[in-house]
Each structure stands twice: as C-alpha cells, then as structure tokens.
Amino acid sequence: MRRIVLVGAGRVATQLAPALRQAGYDVVQVYSRTMQSAVQVAERVGAVAVDTLSQIVTDADVYIIAVKDAVLPQLLPQLCHGREGALFVHTAGSVPMEVFAGLAMRYGVMYPMQTFSKERPVDFRQTPLFIEGADAQSLTLIRQLAERLSANVREMSSAERRYLHLAAVFACNFVNHCYALSADILEAHGIPFSVMLPLIEETARKVHQLAPAQAQTGPAVRYDENIIEAQSRLLSDHPLMQDVYRLMSQSIHQKAISEK
C-alpha cells in the first residue's frame, strides 16, 4: 500500500503531502480543480499534477480526499468508479464515513485534528489522527497508514467525530476569531497586536495544568456589570461585535456559576 493519490490541494493537502512522503509513501498524483494549486502541492513531493478527475490514475492503492465537505457528494461517484477495489479515505471532521457507501468496497476516515495553513509547516507526528473504517480490513489499513504519520492515532465513530469537530471549532476557530476582533480594536487605536502575545501564550499554557473553567479570569466571571456595560458601550459603533461581547460575557458568567 505505497501508491497514493491526493485529491485536493488546499491547506490540509499542502501539509499532508510532505508528511506522506516522509513516511515512505509515493504520492503519485495531486488533483485540484485549479492546476496552479495542484502543481504547488505536487512539486513538493515529486508527484504529477492533474486538474480533471478523468486524468486520475486507476491503479493507486489509496485515494486520500482532502477537499471542501460540500464537494464530496458530487466528487466521489466519479472518483470511485473504476477504482472500487482501492482504499478511499476522507479527512473531514463532520462528514460521516457512510458518504462512501455503495461507491467503494474499502473506505474510511482519517481526520487530522489540527489547524492548517499553507504557509506554516505542521508536525504530523504530533497531530492527533482520528480514524474509522468500513470493516476490519479497511480499519487495519487506515491504522497502518495513520501510525506511520502520527504518534497519536485514535479510533472514533462518525457520530462521535461530529462532536469532536464541534469542540475543535470552539477551541480553535472561534478563539482565533476573537484574536482577529482584538486585533481590529487595537489597530483602530494604533496599538500593535504583539502586545497581546504574552497574554495569549500564558492563557494557552494554563489549560495544560488547569481545567478551562478554572483558568477563566476577567470581569465576566464575577459579572462586574459596571465594567461590562462600559466596555459594551465602547463597541456601540460595531453592533455585531457588541453582541458577541455581551453573549460571551453571559456565557462565561453562567459557566462560572455552574462550576461552583
């Protein structure tokens, strides 16, 4: 199980391709609807770039699909046709494994729970991989693949993975959006975002030792209404951000009460 086709050339694929090569796999092709994107990933691993599904080889051992979730239902019937005996793996957090049902004989999921950017390398050995297989043989093959990539491999069902992905959205995407809102406030008043970095780093370090609820600080924990109202007024020109501030403050306070 050495020959792999990578279907997709976005953030996940950009980081996964070199990790596969480093693990000893031969990435023979990279597919993207945009040739430029396919070439950028393919050149990193000595693969052939293609931009139409009909160009994808039929004799690969594994087809790893790393595309937008919404694309899968339209892409998979054509991709799987004529390749039914291969192993098909998607990397999505919230898409059930059953998306392959009736299209392939061996299939499953390998979800890397990490935040990916094209510009910043990620160490796949430290990235948790959550796997699922349609049957015992598929699961064994996916586990062998995953364990060559990561030292942290766990089996998880599609139903459980939905909640994992949801939790990851809160822990990563929403938190990063709060960084962006913070940066907007600072930029509007000529303050560099770099002043926030020590605070961000200490907040992240604390949850390695404390439960997140125990690590929470700030006016919302004790619901200091004077500060909350004053800060809310500062956002009067940004009603959506003001709503986020108020709802977040209420949620923090309710969580603090429930933890007592």
Side-chain angles (χ1 to χ4, degrees), residues 54-77:
S54 61
Q55 293 176 295
I56 296 178
V57 297
T58 59
D59 61 348
D61 301 309
V62 187
Y63 295 82
I64 300 178
I65 302 104
V67 297
K68 293 180 180 179
D69 295 359
V71 175
L72 286 169
Q74 293 76 40
L75 180 148
L76 292 183

Side-chain angles (χ1 to χ4, degrees), residues 28 55 190 201 226:
V28 294
Q55 293 176 295
E201 290 169 0
N226 290 335

Side-chain angles (χ1 to χ4, degrees), residues 27-147:
V27 181
V28 294
Q29 281 184 326
V30 175
Y31 161 83
S32 174
R33 289 179 297 178
T34 305
M35 178 57 79
Q36 181 180 1
S37 297
V39 168
Q40 288 175 347
V41 177
E43 285 183 343
R44 300 183 67 184
V45 293
V48 175
V50 297
D51 61 356
T52 60
L53 291 173
S54 61
Q55 293 176 295
I56 296 178
V57 297
T58 59
D59 61 348
D61 301 309
V62 187
Y63 295 82
I64 300 178
I65 302 104
V67 297
K68 293 180 180 179
D69 295 359
V71 175
L72 286 169
Q74 293 76 40
L75 180 148
L76 292 183
Q78 187 174 350
L79 176 65
C80 295
H81 181 69
R83 307 174 181 89
E84 291 83 356
L87 176 65
F88 292 86
V89 180
H90 79 62
T91 60
S94 290
V95 177
M97 177 178 64
E98 287 70 26
V99 72
F100 291 110
L103 301 174
M105 293 182 291
R106 297 187 297 172
Y107 56 86
V109 179
M110 185 177 69
Y111 167 52
M113 195 182 69
Q114 185 55 277
T115 176
F116 294 101
S117 299
K118 288 187 176 182
E119 304 81 9
R120 182 176 173 83
V122 168
D123 183 1
F124 255 86
R125 293 301 301 168
Q126 304 301 319
T127 299
L129 297 181
F130 294 87
I131 64 171
E132 184 179 15
D135 51 39
Q137 183 186 31
S138 297
L139 182 60
T140 296
L141 292 173
I142 294 168
R143 181 176 293 279
Q144 290 172 354
L145 171 63
E147 288 181 346

Side-chain angles (χ1 to χ4, degrees), residues 181-196:
L181 297 181
S182 173
D184 289 344
I185 293 169
L186 294 169
E187 183 180 3
H189 296 278
I191 305 171
F193 182 71
S194 59
V195 303
M196 290 290 160

